[in-house]
Every structure is written in C-alpha cells, then in structure tokens.
Amino acid sequence: MHTAGDVRVEDRDDPKIIEPTDAIVRLTATCICGSDLWPYRGVEPADHTNMGHEYAGVVEEVGSDVKNVKVGDFVVGSFVISDNTCEICRSGYQSGCAHREFVAGTIGTQAEKARIPHADGTLVPTPGQPDEDLIPSLLAASDVLGTGWYGAVAAEAGPGRTVAVVGDGAVGLMAVLAARQLGAERIIAMSRHPERQELARFYGATDIVEERGDEGVAKIKELTGGLGAHSVVEAVGTQESTMQAIGATRPGGHLGFVGVNYDVTIKGIDLFFAGIHVEGGPAPVRRFLPELIQLIWDRRIDPGRVFDLTLPLEQAAEGYKAMDERRATKVLLTF
Amino acid sequence: MHTAGDVRVEDRDDPKIIEPTDAIVRLTATCICGSDLWPYRGVEPADHTNMGHEYAGVVEEVGSDVKNVKVGDFVVGSFVISDNTCEICRSGYQSGCAHREFVAGTIGTQAEKARIPHADGTLVPTPGQPDEDLIPSLLAASDVLGTGWYGAVAAEAGPGRTVAVVGDGAVGLMAVLAARQLGAERIIAMSRHPERQELARFYGATDIVEERGDEGVAKIKELTGGLGAHSVVEAVGTQESTMQAIGATRPGGHLGFVGVNYDVTIKGIDLFFAGIHVEGGPAPVRRFLPELIQLIWDRRIDPGRVFDLTLPLEQAAEGYKAMDERRATKVLLTF
C-alpha cells in the first residue's frame, strides 16, 4: 500500500532465511482482513507498506534451529509471531509474547512467499496435505476464525449462556460459529444486512437483532428478561458498537472485544457502573490453532464460507475496494 | 452534606419500616469512606444529602416478610441493597441486583439508625454479639474490606501470583490483606507514605514501590522479569492510577478496578494492545460477607486497623476534613 487507498501488486525479491528460527512459506492462498481497511482509509499510516497478515501454505525452507515444521509441511500460522515458549505464551496469551512481532505491515503475506520468524512457535502443521476445498477454511484460521473464536472464549460463551455478537463482518460471523461450537444456548447476531443475517444463521445464530446503539441494547435486554446477555462479543471497533456491547452485557457478564478500536474512548465511570468483565485485544490465535485446524480437517466447521469474493492476487486493489464499499465481507486472493 | 464541603450533624426523625422487607438497624458504629470525598470535593453533586453507606449494628425492628434476621441480631450489611435471590445476585454480582439501591446519598448511614430495604438479602448476622474490639473490623467488612477483597478476587490474586496494588488508601490496604489471604506469592504495594507502607507490610505486602505513572510501571516490570504483575488492583480512580494499573498488568493478566473513577477516560486502543482482563465496579460485598465475617470472628484478619482516627458522630465534619487533607486514612465515627 503506497499510501491510503493506493494498493499495488509489485514484484519483490524472494524472502530469505535471516534467523535460524525462520521458515519460508510458499502461500497457497491469502486474503484481505477488515483491519487492512484501517490504513486503506487513512486511520493507520501507510507508506509503501507490505500488506497482509493471514497465511496458509507449504514450508519451502527452514532455518537450522527449526524443529517443529519441515520442508513440505502444510502449515497455518497466526497473524502474530510468537515463540510459544515464554511465560506469556505458556499462559495462552501468545499475542503478548516477549518476542511478538505483527505480520501486518512488516512481513506482509499478501504475497506468494513469506519469511516467518519463530517458525516453531508460530506455525502449526496440518495432519497432511489438505484437500483443495479446505484451503479457505484453513486460511481463515490464521486470523478471522481465530479472532472470532477468541472473542467468544473471552466472552465465556458456553452451555446455558446467551451470547450477543455485535458486528456482522467476518470476525463477527466467526464469533457466531465459535459460540455455537462452545455450546452456547442462544446466539443473537446483531446485523441489518440480509445476506449476512443468512450467513449468521448458517453459522448458528438463533436470533437476529437489527437495532443498533441504545435501541440495540434495549432489544437485547428485552430478549434476556431485562438483564442483558451473559456473553457479548464486540467485533467492529467503533464508539457506537463498543457502547452497544458494554450496554448489552449483564452485570457480572463477560465482554470479549476483538474489533480494532482506534477511535474509541471509554469513560471509566461507564465501565465502573456496568460491573462487567472485559477481555480483548489482538487474539492469541496460536492458542486455538491446533483445535481449529482439527475441526476444519474433520469438516465439523466451515469458516471458509465467510469468503464471498475470490480474486487473483493481481487484482488485490479491487478486493480492497470491494471490502471498503461493503460489497464483499471478505476477499480471498489466489495465485 | 448541605453542599460540597459543608457537612453538618442534624436531628432527624427515627426511620420507620416502610416495606415489609425492611429492617431498622441501630448502628454500633459508622465511618467515612474515601468515596464520600467525591461529593465533598464537588465531583458528585451534594444537596442536603444523607451521607454514609457503611454500617454494622443491632436489628431493632423487622418488617413482616423478613425471615433471615431477627430483632436483637448483630448484623453487617453491604453498601448496596440487594435481594440476593435474582439471577444476577445468584451469579455473585449483588451490586448489579435487579432491586439494587445504593445506601449512599439516600438512606445514609452516618446516623444512629438506618432503614435497610431488602433486609433478608442485604444483611448478614454475625455468629453472636461481637466483642467490642471486633466492631471496627466488622464495620470495615461493609465496604472497604469487601471492596478491597473484590478488587483482589477480580484481579485473580492467588497462589503463585504476583499482585500489585495501586493505591495505599483504606481500600488498597484491604486489597493487600485480601491478596495475602487468597495466597498470593508476592504482593507489591504502590505507596509513598511511610505510615501506609508500614500498614501495607502489616497486611502482607512483600514489596513497596514508591514510583508512580510510567516510572511505577517500569518498576513493576523490573520486579517481574519484564512481564508485569499477574494481578493488579486499582484502588484510587484517577487517570494516572488507572493507566499505571493497566500498564503494570502483564498480557493475559487480570486487573481488578474498584476506585470510583469519574474523571477517567480510557482509549480503546490502549486497552486493546494491553491484552488484559479487566473487571470492576461497585463491589458485590454481599457475596463475600459470610466469609469475611467468619475470618474477623476467628481473629484471622484485622481490617479494623485501617481506622486511624476515631471521632464522635457530632464531629463528622472534622472527620471529612481530616480525610480530605490526607491526615487520616479512614475515620471511625462513634456514638
């Protein structure tokens, strides 16, 4: 991305092993994330930035210290590099790893190949070479599925719980899928787009709420005996969606927030009198990858359906445009 | 409190039973809370407001529906009225009860007697008539101990954990006591007042950090291998103390915030990249009261030492002044 809104596909030298813990991955497919729209819209800076942070593909070369993956393995990696051995990683918060590095902006995986640092900690091999139709789902595990899943886990979605999901983008839809897998009793998708409502129902939503803001909160309360949802996932990152999510959570309930929220400010006293649990941030996708890969491998979940536009990498600029204009939920880029 | 800074002790009619779920309690002692300083300093409105929300004493009369307490019982109650039967109460969040009512500002327990609504849900009888020396500790359970305890529970203080407590006021000191009782391995009190440091050590602090703000955060990281504390309790409620608490919590760690925080704003993105758990608000003291009363009764904890000035109720105005000027940590008012 040369500058905000200006995406170009250009030739670059092949990446090379730099550290003995690196691996080079030849990507099988890549994609555009909702968070890529922040620099596209000028909210985050962009200056000849290497874009993309989701990836799945085949290991082409490994550094001398790499032990857990080998050349030829099909791997999925998290959008955050982690060593997976430090104290923070071992506690399940790999996105706060002492060696963390964001793939976005530096490495950039909207490319044919990528150098992945800390390969042993970051990459997870699949049980074998995947069938073609599993590729989109495996790619989704890299961020959008892992992030939606984390949102639902942070919100403590589970049996007996009513879960409300604020946001019908790809991450919100994946949070619906996760809430269903985690055994939630009732899953309320907050959405006003007919196609996304349909996809939300496919992934497990039992109710749809079209209202937003205070009206949305009132509707959630109406559906939950006046109390609010046990679990709420915030998957947008705007001021309105954040306040909607806080308001929709019952006292003592859990809010998982995964929408990147640059323009949000929260009054301390609003959080104080809400009396809720809040957990969020960049998802520790690595924690969930082995389980998510297995669920996909066993065809028990189908996160790949979240891609509703497929383009060759050369047309990446059109992919950004389609997502920016909300003509596409999520764009798959092929080679 | 006629208006900010103007505290007067005046005669009022005795309270009467209004609802059949009410009880009238004759207070044995009462006290002034750090949060009473918000209206005193004009941050919250005050207009002939009945002050006080901490109370312990003898039941003098009960309404016809009251079953759990009887006339003559010595009782301790929470600073938030709750029915203790609704779904929110049963989940342990009595300060979010469907029937919640704040004692502060309406009922007011800086008085000889008080009408306590939802007596069955709000009051907890002690095992018998307490010895005189236990009265301050039992009174502390009503808010300051219960609130510090909740802060430590929300921060998930426990075995193997390093707990940092931001704030050396009465609530902060009680959070230190709680962290110790909950089995924390290391307890860092952030304080720069020699007498309070001493009291913090008495209650179980293993380390003292005098630095504040970014320097305080750096010091906590230095003491925790660069990672930050597992558990942090915010017991002040200012912008600086809040950011200090967020910064001192390691990724994936837990922040319990119990300082009333009117003037605090939190940037969403700061919370996002902190990657921590946050829980707080008005403490559900009722959840902890039976356990706290027993610990006091068995003389295993001595929260009453937090009172460092005792005055007769008539001199309440001097008590407010002493706390406002930080000459006293917490003031006990006797009859």
Side-chain angles (χ1 to χ4, degrees):
Chain A
M1 188 177 291
H2 282 229
T3 183
D6 181 8
V7 173
R8 305 188 201 174
V9 180
E10 297 175 342
D11 281 327
R12 292 285 160 86
D13 290 341
D14 278 354
K16 287 183 172 41
I17 298 285
I18 299 174
E19 300 290 335
T21 45
D22 290 348
I24 304 297
V25 175
R26 176 186 288 273
L27 278 76
T28 305
T30 185
C31 54
I32 305 172
C33 180
S35 69
D36 291 331
L37 297 179
W38 290 118
Y40 190 80
R41 291 170 178 166
V43 179
E44 274 180 44
D47 178 10
H48 298 77
T49 306
N50 296 327
M51 298 300 296
H53 52 270
E54 297 155 287
Y55 56 104
V58 178
V59 176
E60 213 173 60
E61 192 184 349
V62 296
S64 55
D65 286 354
V66 174
K67 292 178 184 63
N68 300 344
V69 296
K70 56 183 193 303
V71 172
D73 281 353
F74 192 94
V75 293
V76 184
S78 164
F79 71 99
V80 186
I81 303 299
S82 62
D83 61 26
N84 210 32
T85 55
C86 76
E87 200 174 323
I88 301 297
C89 283
R90 282 183 281 127
S91 76
Y93 286 86
Q94 288 90 341
S95 43
C97 173
H99 294 109
R100 88 163 170 195
E101 195 178 318
F102 287 97
V103 173
T106 53
I107 297 166
T109 55
Q110 284 161 10
E112 293 169 311
K113 294 186 183 185
R115 179 183 71 88
I116 304 298
H118 291 283
D120 273 348
T122 305
L123 300 173
V124 179
T126 55
Q129 295 301 317
D131 292 339
E132 184 72 19
D133 67 316
L134 291 184
I135 301 294
S137 289
L138 290 168
L139 180 63
S142 188
D143 178 357
V144 72
L145 170 60
T147 293
W149 193 275
Y150 171 59
V153 168
E156 300 216 344
R161 299 281 170 95
T162 293
V163 181
V165 177
V166 181
D168 60 3
V171 171
L173 292 166
M174 294 297 94
V176 169
L177 175 157
R180 169 74 168 274
Q181 285 293 316
L182 293 164
E185 185 172 302
R186 193 174 188 186
I187 303 166
I188 307 168
M190 304 191 85
S191 167
R192 48 177 61 175
H193 301 86
E195 327 83 68
R196 296 186 184 197
Q197 291 175 0
E198 196 184 327
L199 205 46
R201 287 199 188 274
F202 167 76
Y203 282 127
T206 55
D207 301 78
I208 303 285
V209 165
E210 298 203 340
E211 290 84 348
R212 285 187 187 169
D214 290 345
E215 287 176 14
V217 169
K219 191 73 189 171
I220 296 292
K221 290 201 171 164
E222 190 188 315
L223 291 170
T224 53
L227 303 177
H230 300 95
S231 304
V232 176
V233 181
E234 199 295 313
V236 183
T238 62
Q239 187 68 32
E240 183 186 59
S241 65
T242 299
M243 296 317 295
Q244 185 175 323
I246 291 173
T249 312
R250 67 175 55 192
H254 290 77
L255 166 59
F257 70 102
V258 289
V260 183
N261 54 1
Y262 281 103
D263 295 331
V264 171
T265 54
I266 303 166
K267 285 183 192 163
I269 203 72
D270 288 344
L271 210 54
F272 188 86
F273 283 109
I276 62 176
H277 301 77
V278 177
E279 180 190 349
V285 170
R286 181 61 184 81
R287 189 204 313 175
F288 308 112
L289 270 182
E291 180 182 2
L292 298 180
I293 288 172
Q294 197 60 53
L295 285 169
I296 292 164
W297 205 260
D298 297 340
R299 295 176 190 277
R300 289 173 54 200
I301 58 174
D302 186 9
R305 266 191 65 167
V306 85
F307 292 104
D308 53 359
L309 179 62
T310 300
L311 294 171
L313 180 65
E314 294 74 46
Q315 294 177 35
E318 166 54 22
Y320 275 81
K321 201 156 179 290
M323 279 180 64
D324 183 43
E325 293 168 0
R326 293 181 71 86
R327 283 183 283 116
T329 305
K330 192 161 178 73
V331 175
L332 186 75
L333 298 173
T334 56
F335 303 103
Chain B
M1 188 178 291
H2 282 232
T3 182
D6 181 9
V7 173
R8 304 188 200 174
V9 180
E10 297 175 341
D11 281 327
R12 291 284 161 86
D13 290 341
D14 278 352
K16 287 183 171 41
I17 298 286
I18 299 173
E19 300 292 333
T21 46
D22 290 348
I24 304 298
V25 175
R26 173 187 289 275
L27 277 77
T28 304
T30 185
C31 54
I32 304 172
C33 181
S35 69
D36 291 331
L37 298 180
W38 290 118
Y40 190 79
R41 292 170 178 167
V43 179
E44 274 180 44
D47 179 10
H48 298 77
T49 306
N50 297 328
M51 299 299 296
H53 51 269
E54 297 155 286
Y55 55 104
V58 177
V59 176
E60 213 173 59
E61 193 183 349
V62 295
S64 55
D65 286 354
V66 175
K67 292 178 183 66
N68 299 345
V69 296
K70 57 184 193 303
V71 172
D73 280 354
F74 191 93
V75 294
V76 184
S78 164
F79 71 98
V80 186
I81 302 299
S82 63
D83 61 27
N84 210 32
T85 55
C86 76
E87 201 174 323
I88 302 297
C89 282
R90 281 183 282 126
S91 76
Y93 287 85
Q94 288 90 342
S95 43
C97 173
H99 292 110
R100 90 164 168 193
E101 195 178 318
F102 287 96
V103 173
T106 53
I107 296 166
T109 55
Q110 284 161 8
E112 292 168 311
K113 295 186 182 184
R115 179 183 72 88
I116 304 298
H118 292 283
D120 273 349
T122 305
L123 300 172
V124 178
T126 55
Q129 296 301 316
D131 292 337
E132 183 72 19
D133 67 315
L134 291 184
I135 301 295
S137 289
L138 290 168
L139 180 63
S142 189
D143 178 357
V144 72
L145 170 61
T147 294
W149 193 276
Y150 171 59
V153 168
E156 300 217 343
R161 300 280 170 95
T162 294
V163 181
V165 177
V166 181
D168 60 2
V171 171
L173 292 166
M174 295 296 94
V176 169
L177 176 157
R180 168 74 167 273
Q181 286 293 315
L182 293 164
E185 185 172 301
R186 193 175 189 186
I187 303 167
I188 307 168
M190 304 192 86
S191 168
R192 50 176 59 174
H193 301 86
E195 328 83 68
R196 296 186 183 195
Q197 290 176 0
E198 196 185 328
L199 205 46
R201 287 200 186 273
F202 167 76
Y203 282 127
T206 55
D207 300 79
I208 302 287
V209 165
E210 297 204 340
E211 290 84 349
R212 286 187 187 168
D214 290 344
E215 289 177 14
V217 169
K219 190 74 188 172
I220 296 292
K221 291 203 170 162
E222 190 188 314
L223 291 171
T224 53
L227 303 177
H230 300 95
S231 304
V232 176
V233 181
E234 199 296 311
V236 183
T238 64
Q239 187 69 31
E240 184 186 59
S241 65
T242 299
M243 296 318 293
Q244 186 175 323
I246 291 172
T249 312
R250 67 175 55 194
H254 290 76
L255 167 60
F257 70 102
V258 288
V260 183
N261 54 0
Y262 280 102
D263 295 332
V264 171
T265 54
I266 302 167
K267 285 184 192 160
I269 203 73
D270 287 344
L271 210 53
F272 188 86
F273 283 108
I276 62 176
H277 302 77
V278 177
E279 179 190 349
V285 171
R286 181 62 183 81
R287 188 204 312 177
F288 308 111
L289 270 183
E291 181 183 1
L292 298 180
I293 288 172
Q294 197 62 51
L295 285 170
I296 293 164
W297 204 260
D298 297 341
R299 296 177 188 276
R300 289 174 54 200
I301 58 174
D302 186 9
R305 265 191 66 168
V306 86
F307 293 104
D308 53 359
L309 178 62
T310 300
L311 295 170
L313 181 64
E314 294 75 44
Q315 294 176 35
E318 165 52 23
Y320 274 82
K321 203 157 178 288
M323 278 179 65
D324 183 43
E325 294 168 2
R326 292 182 71 86
R327 284 184 282 116
T329 305
K330 193 161 177 73
V331 175
L332 186 74
L333 299 172
T334 56
F335 302 103

